[in-house]
Amino acid sequence: MAAITPHAGSGAVEYGTLILSRAVVLLHSYSSPLNPRAWPSAACADEALRLLATLREPEDDNVLLVEAVLASPWLSLQLLAIAPDNKNRGAPRQAVQAAIRRVGKDLFTAWALLAAVGTEDIATASKESFAQFCRHSRMAAHLAENLATITRLCNPDYAYLAGLWHNLGQLHLAVTQPRYAGPVVDVREIALAADELKQYGQSHTAIAAQMVSTNFPLPLLAEAIELHHAPMDFVGDLPGLPRVLRATIAALSGAETGIADAAKLLNVDSQQVVLAIKAARQATPPDIHATSAAIPPALVMVSAQGLVRATFAEIKEAACKEHLSLACRLLTGRSAPLVLQADEQNTLRLLPECSPRELMEFTAVSDARSLCVQALLKDEILFAMPIDSGSAPDWLMARLLGGGALECVPWRTPCMHGVAVFVHETTSARADSAIEQSLLRHIVNTALAAYERARDQRIEIKTASESARQAEQYAARRIAHEVSNPLSIIGNYLSIIERQQKGTPELAKQMALMHAEIGRAQRLMKKLGRPIPARESDANSGV
């Protein structure tokens, strides 16, 4: 399929035959969460760390941290991709707030620390380019939001995200292509797009559109991003969001022609566009500046491990799987693992409470050739293509989880042990360094220890509840027995007195009433002595 040619001089008809170039972007490149070790996130992490240092109470996250995340193009999409919130999709602040709540402050801080380690690897020129990029993206976000509010052509929240994320493709190429000339945000961008097509077969606009549509799909959002440099007459025939973003990019130049083009595209007065630009400049937060001193990786790792422990400290049994997935995705870039538990014969069986639902029917693994069994016996992380082991269960695991390479991480808790299996598309995702391997094992061990602890607590609570129920039942039987005997004696004596003393009809009536009350008391005691059924709350106390 044809790719997009440089926009300068392209007619609307010619351009219309080329807008489907997004299909040339390989989907698998963006099907996973964004790479947390990429250098753009390292620069964003510095701001996150400074902000976290000022937060004194967790509830502060609801305001300051949300706004900081929404000021970062890379970090905002990262969090929304890892902890999506379909309920609030379309409301960026609520969606980010929900994502932060799901991830938790401890895990978020651990991510910021780990990402900040790579800050000193960024060249000075790259730092300046990134600062300029962030300033441009923030300005575009606020301006697009203002123009959407003025014109009412689209949801202002959608427009904000379109402006914030419209150039993320440049960051992706800057990370994956060592000789990439970007990121740039001025008139050089059009020439850069043409160069991208020649070198990589795809432009940053198509890449950004694919990243957004995969991780946070909203109506027309990806289309608006892909067309943010399209010819004006072409975009003029489209719905509101593409028009607002295209007008935003034109107006950001500050030139009279750009402002006039934006006003014409949106059918507003040029003065309104100028006022929107001034308001956007006032709302745009300060630039991001990377730290001047590198953080020792060993210190960061110790801190990150402590934060991981805090993340799982008070977690409930049912939430372990979700938090294990979040921790792995955010801190290591890996999807949720398949968790296998070993028995005394080292046969590995699925631990369903901590594994993806896709493999709930997976059978036991006992083949000595299996990479999982070897990792368990050697107590070390093993990484290989399943075909290399010659084990059918390995092949099936990789196939069902949609990957090609298995990464088997042994884990051990006080009462259990087993292997966590991560599946990757290629062999390039392995944790090579000892530090990375240590972090990966720490996350898995901490999560499984938390699961075991929560499970044991549930069992203890259930056992204590059962013991209390039995003790209560025993006491009730004793009381029923002790009370029933005197009641029976009293009833018998009343019968004797009634036969010996032939009284008036009024006395007979009173005696009958006393017999009835004694009978009622006996029935209550008999009911009290019956077995007490388990409470519904006890039966359902699985969390």
Side-chain angles (χ1 to χ4, degrees):
M1 182 176 294
I4 298 179
T5 56
H7 304 316
S10 298
V13 176
E14 178 186 1
Y15 188 79
T17 65
L18 305 172
I19 61 173
L20 298 179
S21 67
R22 184 155 35 109
V24 306
V25 181
L26 297 179
L27 250 174
H28 66 77
S29 299
Y30 314 109
S31 58
S32 300
L34 306 179
N35 182 4
R37 302 301 178 86
W39 69 262
S41 62
C44 293
D46 181 66
E47 184 179 52
L49 284 174
R50 288 202 308 270
L51 178 65
L52 286 167
T54 66
L55 297 179
R56 293 181 296 276
E57 301 295 336
E59 52 265 26
D60 289 348
D61 298 355
N62 295 336
V63 180
L64 298 177
L65 195 53
V66 168
E67 294 305 317
V69 170
L70 280 172
S72 168
W74 194 264
L75 178 56
S76 57
L77 187 58
Q78 173 89 344
L79 277 178
L80 291 173
I82 288 175
D85 176 45
N86 294 325
K87 179 181 178 181
N88 289 316
R89 182 156 291 177
R93 284 169 178 79
Q94 289 80 358
V96 168
Q97 185 177 25
I100 293 173
R101 190 181 301 114
R102 288 186 64 193
V103 171
K105 186 177 178 181
D106 292 320
L107 198 56
F108 182 88
T109 306
W111 174 86
L113 282 170
L114 290 168
V117 171
T119 301
E120 282 305 298
D121 296 332
I122 308 173
T124 302
S126 297
K127 292 180 183 179
E128 294 300 325
S129 296
F130 179 71
Q132 184 184 17
F133 170 88
C134 284
R135 181 167 58 251
H136 173 81
S137 298
R138 296 173 181 188
M139 182 69 178
H142 288 292
L143 179 55
E145 182 181 28
N146 293 343
L147 292 177
T149 302
I150 292 172
T151 62
R152 299 184 180 180
L153 289 174
C154 63
N155 188 325
D157 286 339
Y158 290 15
Y160 181 93
L161 292 180
L164 188 67
W165 293 340
H166 75 281
N167 262 352
L168 277 176
Q170 289 196 37
L171 291 189
H172 173 79
L173 290 173
V175 172
T176 58
Q177 305 297 334
R179 298 182 179 179
Y180 184 63
V184 297
V185 293
D186 49 28
V187 293
R188 295 173 295 168
E189 187 176 343
I190 295 178
L192 180 65
D195 185 62
E196 292 166 353
L197 290 171
K198 291 179 182 178
Q199 293 195 49
Y200 316 120
Q202 54 193 10
S203 68
H204 65 269
T205 56
I207 293 174
Q210 187 62 63
M211 293 169 73
V212 170
S213 64
T214 301
N215 291 295
F216 198 74
L218 282 173
L220 293 178
L221 181 60
E223 289 72 18
I225 289 174
E226 187 170 2
L227 299 175
H228 73 267
H229 277 298
M232 289 288 187
D233 52 352
F234 180 85
V235 178
D237 294 329
L238 295 178
L241 186 55
R243 288 168 58 193
V244 168
L245 182 58
R246 183 65 187 90
T248 297
I249 302 305
L252 278 177
S253 65
E256 292 184 6
T257 55
I259 295 175
D261 288 341
K264 180 180 179 181
L265 184 62
L266 300 178
N267 295 320
V268 297
D269 187 82
S270 295
Q271 187 60 29
Q272 289 181 285
V273 177
V274 172
L275 293 175
I277 294 174
K278 291 181 179 179
R281 286 174 179 165
Q282 294 176 352
T284 302
D287 295 340
I288 295 175
H289 296 287
T291 52
S292 57
I295 305 175
L299 178 60
V300 169
M301 191 56 59
V302 171
S303 301
Q305 290 180 349
L307 289 165
V308 169
R309 283 194 295 271
T311 297
F312 289 95
E314 302 296 332
I315 201 168
K316 294 184 179 180
E317 184 180 355
C320 279
K321 178 168 65 174
E322 179 186 11
H323 279 69
L324 174 60
S325 174
L326 287 173
C328 289
R329 286 161 66 93
L330 191 63
L331 302 184
T332 72
R334 290 163 174 77
S335 297
L338 172 71
V339 180
L340 302 173
Q341 181 182 356
D343 59 17
E344 295 179 354
Q345 289 74 37
N346 289 327
T347 297
L348 293 164
R349 290 182 171 83
L350 182 71
L351 190 62
E353 295 85 354
C354 297
S355 296
R357 295 180 179 178
E358 300 95 302
L359 294 184
M360 287 299 127
E361 301 299 326
F362 191 77
T363 56
V365 180
S366 58
D367 187 354
R369 298 172 299 175
S370 170
L371 202 68
C372 304
V373 175
Q374 293 179 29
L376 179 70
L377 297 177
K378 295 179 180 180
D379 193 29
E380 63 181 70
I381 297 178
L382 297 181
F383 192 103
M385 299 296 290
I387 194 67
D388 296 336
S389 67
S391 172
D394 287 358
W395 177 87
L396 183 59
M397 276 190 290
R399 175 59 66 89
L400 292 178
L401 284 178
L406 296 180
E407 184 179 26
C408 301
V409 180
W411 56 268
R412 182 174 295 274
T413 66
C415 299
M416 303 188 302
H417 68 291
V419 175
V421 184
F422 297 88
V423 181
H424 306 278
E425 293 180 357
T426 66
T427 57
S428 61
R430 65 180 302 165
D432 288 324
S433 70
I435 291 181
E436 286 185 285
Q437 290 189 4
S438 174
L439 175 63
L440 186 59
R441 294 193 67 163
H442 179 77
I443 292 172
V444 174
N445 277 296
T446 302
L448 270 299
Y451 165 77
E452 181 182 83
R453 184 169 59 252
R455 182 203 60 184
D456 291 346
Q457 288 176 351
R458 174 179 58 83
I459 294 175
E460 289 176 4
I461 292 173
K462 185 177 180 180
T463 302
S465 177
E466 179 64 22
S467 298
R469 189 177 69 85
Q470 292 178 357
E472 182 181 349
Q473 180 176 329
Y474 176 75
R477 286 177 177 174
R478 290 291 303 271
I479 293 173
H481 177 73
E482 294 297 333
V483 174
S484 294
N485 286 338
L487 285 176
S488 298
I489 293 173
I490 293 173
N492 291 334
Y493 270 106
L494 286 176
S495 298
I496 293 173
I497 293 172
E498 188 177 9
R499 287 196 301 268
Q500 292 178 349
Q501 303 293 332
K502 294 182 179 180
T504 62
E506 182 61 27
L507 177 61
K509 181 179 178 182
Q510 295 297 328
M511 295 294 287
L513 179 61
M514 294 176 67
H515 279 296
E517 290 301 317
I518 290 174
R520 188 167 73 90
Q522 288 177 322
R523 288 192 298 274
L524 289 174
M525 289 300 101
K526 185 177 181 179
K527 184 178 180 181
L528 181 63
R530 292 173 184 171
I532 302 174
R535 297 184 181 91
E536 183 179 354
S537 59
D538 295 338
N540 297 331
S541 60
V543 178

